[in-house]
Amino acid sequence: MALAVRLRRLLLVGRSAARGLRLTTGAAGSRGQRVPWRLAASEVMGNSGTFRRSLLFSALSYLGFETCQVISQAVVVHATAKVFKIDEILEQADYLYESGETEKLYQLLTQYKESEDAELLWRLARASRDVAQLSGTSEEEKKVLVYEALEYAKRALEKNESSFAAHKWYAICISDVGDYEGIKAKIANAYIIKEHFEKAIELNPKDATSIHLMGIWCYTFAEMPWYQRRIAKVLFATPPSSTYEEALGYFHRAEQVDPNFYSKNLLLLGKTYLKLHNRKLAAFWLTKAKDHPAHTEEDKQVQTEAAQLLTGFSDKN
């Protein structure tokens, strides 16, 4: 509205100038007569039509400048509002995640699946994976969700390669997809998975989950069955390998960064000590895993497995 008023005033002033511009060299003559010559507007400015066109061009230029200012201000306001909205969504998402509301979290984030925000996308990858792991999810639905999660994680990484969480969830999702693509793909993906876990740790050395996941990577290849090792040697000149000692180092490091952060880390500490034939320390960590508060379905599964392993100790004694 203000822009239109300014333009109207500019045009009115221009018209007045074109109609009545007169230039004189002094006052009236001694007898009160006018100075014998005056300059019409056309004599000063040339053709009046040309002047009006110039004036119109100036007005339009002014209008363009004002419009750009208005648009720029609108873009800033829109961008600021967008940031506030994303922050609000992420806050809601984190609350639902901490509350164990897996399905509600997934429903919230899928409304924004076309987002280009890396923080939102990796959370959506995590939510898709969590829904896939629910006991009520069918095998067909699980497969769809696993591939969906990988796509979200990939987009998150494309949007922000400096996000440790994007690297972490991309690696996790690649690992999940390997369950559907055969042993060759799974072994080939192992190098990519390790690379992204290591990058996540480099970007955030205080993220216990990334360190724990490197421990799982080591544990997985330490206990790889002999036939898979043989396949790996045929397919790759240097197949991935690791040891239980290396896995144990990562699990302990994760626990040092954030004690009792994850029931599965406690469980795997116990299982790794079992592999290393240290029953005393195995029993210590398995008991901690069994007694860890169960907030999620995975926590309940960990409690059950830890209890079964501890029962096995009692039977042998």
Side-chain angles (χ1 to χ4, degrees):
M1 184 69 181
L3 182 59
V5 170
R6 291 179 202 173
L7 180 59
R8 183 170 177 272
R9 286 175 181 169
L10 182 63
L11 290 172
L12 287 174
V13 169
R15 287 172 188 161
S16 298
R19 284 197 304 266
L21 181 60
R22 296 288 186 272
L23 295 181
T24 62
T25 58
S30 59
R31 296 183 182 178
Q33 295 176 343
R34 295 180 181 178
V35 176
W37 51 272
R38 290 181 181 175
L39 296 178
S42 59
E43 294 177 84
V44 176
M45 296 173 288
N47 186 277
S48 60
T50 302
F51 172 73
R52 284 196 291 272
R53 283 193 295 273
S54 299
L55 181 63
L56 179 59
F57 177 77
S58 299
L60 289 173
S61 297
Y62 177 78
L63 175 61
F65 172 73
E66 289 287 317
T67 302
C68 284
Q69 284 193 316
V70 172
I71 291 172
S72 297
Q73 291 169 2
V75 168
V76 170
V77 170
H78 177 70
T80 304
K82 188 176 180 180
V83 170
F84 285 145
K85 185 175 182 181
I86 288 292
D87 288 344
E88 185 180 325
I89 295 165
L90 296 182
E91 187 176 341
Q92 291 176 37
D94 291 343
Y95 173 78
L96 290 172
Y97 181 75
E98 293 299 328
S99 303
E101 297 283 358
T102 304
E103 291 176 293
K104 287 183 180 178
L105 173 59
Y106 178 73
Q107 289 167 6
L108 169 68
L109 293 178
T110 48
Q111 296 177 62
Y112 308 99
K113 62 184 179 181
E114 301 304 325
S115 171
E116 295 187 358
D117 186 89
E119 292 296 303
L120 191 150
L121 288 168
W122 73 252
R123 283 172 171 81
L124 181 51
R126 180 182 66 184
S128 300
R129 182 178 185 271
D130 287 347
V131 172
Q133 294 186 327
L134 292 176
S135 58
T137 303
S138 69
E139 283 302 314
E140 186 178 338
E141 290 174 320
K142 181 178 180 179
K143 184 176 180 179
V144 171
L145 287 163
V146 163
Y147 278 92
E148 184 181 288
L150 177 60
E151 184 58 31
Y152 293 137
K154 182 180 179 181
R155 284 173 53 202
L157 194 57
E158 288 170 352
K159 297 302 177 185
N160 185 4
E161 291 186 356
S162 298
S163 168
F164 82 93
H167 282 280
K168 175 171 68 178
W169 285 100
Y170 181 63
I172 292 170
C173 293
I174 289 178
S175 178
D176 290 343
V177 164
D179 293 337
Y180 297 98
E181 298 190 347
I183 185 66
K184 182 177 179 179
K186 199 172 183 69
I187 294 172
N189 286 340
Y191 294 102
I192 300 171
I193 292 166
K194 184 181 182 183
E195 177 189 338
H196 286 283
F197 282 151
E198 288 176 338
K199 186 64 178 179
I201 294 170
E202 178 189 324
L203 290 168
N204 186 1
K206 295 299 183 182
D207 180 52
T209 308
S210 297
I211 301 168
H212 163 81
L213 291 167
M214 262 310 304
I216 289 183
W217 190 95
C218 295
Y219 186 94
T220 300
F221 285 98
E223 71 166 359
M224 180 183 283
W226 65 268
Y227 66 90
Q228 289 188 5
R229 290 182 189 278
R230 181 172 293 180
I231 294 171
K233 286 180 181 179
V234 170
L235 296 174
F236 304 97
T238 53
S241 62
S242 190
T243 64
Y244 290 118
E245 287 81 3
E246 194 174 1
L248 190 66
Y250 280 111
F251 294 141
H252 271 300
R253 181 179 165 188
E255 206 61 32
Q256 288 166 1
V257 168
D258 191 359
N260 298 312
F261 75 103
Y262 186 29
S263 62
K264 196 166 184 178
N265 198 65
L266 302 173
L267 175 68
L268 282 166
L269 275 163
K271 291 177 72 172
T272 307
Y273 274 116
L274 272 180
K275 295 289 187 181
L276 295 170
H277 310 292
N278 189 328
R279 289 167 60 85
K280 183 177 179 180
L281 284 174
F284 172 79
W285 290 106
L286 290 172
T287 300
K288 285 178 72 75
K290 179 178 70 70
D291 296 338
H292 189 276
H295 298 296
T296 66
E297 194 163 325
E298 185 182 39
D299 289 335
K300 293 175 185 177
Q301 293 169 358
V302 164
Q303 286 182 339
T304 301
E305 185 176 355
Q308 289 173 346
L309 289 170
L310 286 167
T311 301
F313 276 26
S314 302
D315 292 344
K316 289 178 182 178
N317 292 334

